[in-house]
Amino acid sequence: MKRRLLIVLGPTAVGKTDYSIALAQRYGSPVISCDSRQIYREMTIGTAVPSASQLAAVKHYFIHSHTVTEPYTAGKYEIEALALIEELFSRGHETLVMAGGSGFYIDAVCRGLDDFPEADPQLRESLMERLREEGVESLRLELKRLDPESYATIDIANGQRVVRALEVCIMTGRKFSSFKTSGVKKRDFEIEKTGLIRPREELYGRIGRRVLQMVRDGLVEEAASLLPYRDCAALQTVGYKEMFGYLDYCAGREYRPPVSGQHRNDGPVTSLDRAVELIQRNTRHYAKRQLSYWGRDKSIRWLNL
């Protein structure tokens, strides 16, 4: 029996949800989400979780299945997603549909992850504090000195990624890149990847309209409810960080520069319009990074919607 995993990927707001649901209905499959933020039950509006009607159309997995207060990693996703995939195949499914925009999660399922050491909470907090106080540039320069290979290959604009790489270098005395030596892990099913794209201006228009809709749906209120958890890794996310800045300004709290995503020299978010503008801009930047990440993967069949 030919067992296949069809993966639908692409930049944020391109239309993955509708496309994957139609594909799942065609094959009688559920949709296995590979979105690193829709997995959190406290985050709905700002992560563009599928609507109630979309969730009712087909069974979805890894939507609102975890909490922001418990750290979740691509390594955990690899274990849990592969166990689910095997279970679904054992129930008689021949073709399964996976969809999302988190490249690291997709790689975890397709290729497997290297066995990186567990994080040191004290060192991680120290580096995160430096990231908040000094910005990512200082940490980038240190990573360049300790591990030029990682500096040249990871997304050095992403403060979280820089912190993780630097943490491993300091904790182990080895280069972060030295752990990336294992080959691709064998999977006992075929994998086919379809990447969705649109003309740039059309995609950017969809991003702009989506952000406005999020605000109408209550993004400000959702962000306010998550303020107690703002330092959790899950909430270092476009949409929430900018809203936290706006809420700080409204409450008269001291301005806290974001650790990644939004430029530190943007300054305080002094109006809702400014918050929306920053979310739209930073989401466009995120979409560009997603496309750049997948540009190296020659196995993707690209479909222009």
Side-chain angles (χ1 to χ4, degrees):
M1 183 174 62
K2 183 179 179 181
R3 310 197 307 177
R4 293 190 304 166
L5 177 66
L6 306 183
I7 301 179
V8 179
L9 55 87
T12 186
V14 75
K16 297 184 293 294
T17 298
D18 286 337
Y19 186 91
S20 62
I21 288 173
L23 194 64
Q25 290 173 327
R26 174 181 173 186
Y27 289 105
S29 167
V31 173
I32 304 169
S33 173
C34 53
D35 187 294
S36 65
R37 293 301 183 260
Q38 292 181 356
I39 200 168
Y40 296 111
R41 65 179 63 100
E42 298 89 350
M43 302 162 67
T44 297
I45 299 170
T47 60
V49 166
S51 67
S53 61
Q54 289 171 326
L55 291 172
V58 297
K59 172 70 175 176
H60 282 70
Y61 292 95
F62 293 106
I63 296 286
H64 285 176
S65 54
H66 294 70
T67 176
V68 297
T69 60
E70 297 176 4
Y72 193 78
T73 65
K76 290 182 180 179
Y77 181 79
E78 177 185 0
I79 294 169
E80 294 181 6
L82 288 176
L84 173 63
I85 288 168
E86 187 57 42
E87 178 187 345
L88 292 172
F89 279 140
S90 71
R91 292 182 196 170
H93 290 283
E94 295 184 21
T95 298
L96 295 173
V97 175
M98 173 176 279
S102 298
F104 211 39
Y105 278 38
I106 293 171
D107 283 350
V109 170
C110 296
R111 302 171 56 87
L113 298 180
D114 299 291
D115 297 323
F116 289 106
E118 289 293 322
D120 179 320
Q122 188 171 355
L123 176 59
R124 168 69 61 85
E125 178 54 36
S126 172
L127 291 172
M128 290 299 292
E129 182 64 26
R130 284 183 56 191
L131 187 60
R132 287 189 288 268
E133 296 297 326
E134 304 170 22
V136 73
E137 183 62 26
S138 172
L139 299 182
R140 280 203 303 242
L141 292 175
E142 186 169 350
L143 179 63
K144 186 176 183 180
R145 178 175 61 82
L146 294 175
D147 186 358
E149 292 88 349
S150 289
Y151 179 86
T153 56
I154 70 171
D155 178 8
I156 57 173
N158 186 318
Q160 299 276 335
R161 295 279 173 85
V162 174
V163 162
R164 178 56 175 152
L166 195 54
E167 174 187 58
V168 170
C169 292
I170 295 171
M171 186 170 59
T172 67
R174 290 174 53 189
K175 295 179 179 180
F176 180 71
S177 54
S178 72
F179 288 89
K180 300 182 178 184
T181 55
S182 64
V184 176
K185 296 178 183 176
K186 295 287 186 180
R187 306 304 187 200
D188 60 357
F189 49 85
E190 294 185 10
I191 298 173
E192 298 177 17
K193 300 176 189 174
T194 298
L196 306 182
I197 55 174
R198 293 179 185 269
R200 185 176 64 176
E201 292 308 313
E202 182 179 336
L203 178 63
Y204 286 1
R206 288 171 64 89
I207 288 171
R209 291 189 295 273
R210 172 185 277 186
V211 173
L212 292 175
Q213 187 61 51
M214 286 177 174
V215 173
R216 287 192 289 268
D217 290 343
L219 179 58
V220 178
E221 293 76 13
E222 182 174 78
S225 73
L226 291 168
L227 273 170
Y229 314 109
R230 67 187 295 173
D231 291 325
C232 293
L235 286 160
Q236 308 308 310
T237 301
V238 174
Y240 295 98
K241 294 181 298 182
E242 298 84 354
M243 281 301 172
F244 291 152
Y246 169 62
L247 291 166
D248 284 344
Y249 179 81
C250 292
R253 289 187 290 265
E254 183 179 354
Y255 171 61
R256 292 176 54 178
V259 296
S260 64
Q262 180 187 337
H263 299 299
R264 291 174 63 85
N265 61 5
D266 285 335
V269 184
T270 57
S271 70
L272 181 56
D273 286 345
R274 178 60 174 158
V276 168
E277 177 187 338
L278 289 173
I279 296 171
Q280 290 172 328
R281 183 198 69 186
N282 294 336
T283 306
R284 293 194 299 269
H285 290 175
Y286 175 57
K288 288 172 66 176
R289 291 196 300 273
Q290 287 176 299
L291 289 169
S292 176
Y293 183 91
W294 286 312
R296 299 183 292 270
D297 189 341
K298 304 305 179 186
S299 69
I300 299 173
R301 178 181 68 92
W302 289 98
L303 175 63
N304 193 326
L305 295 179

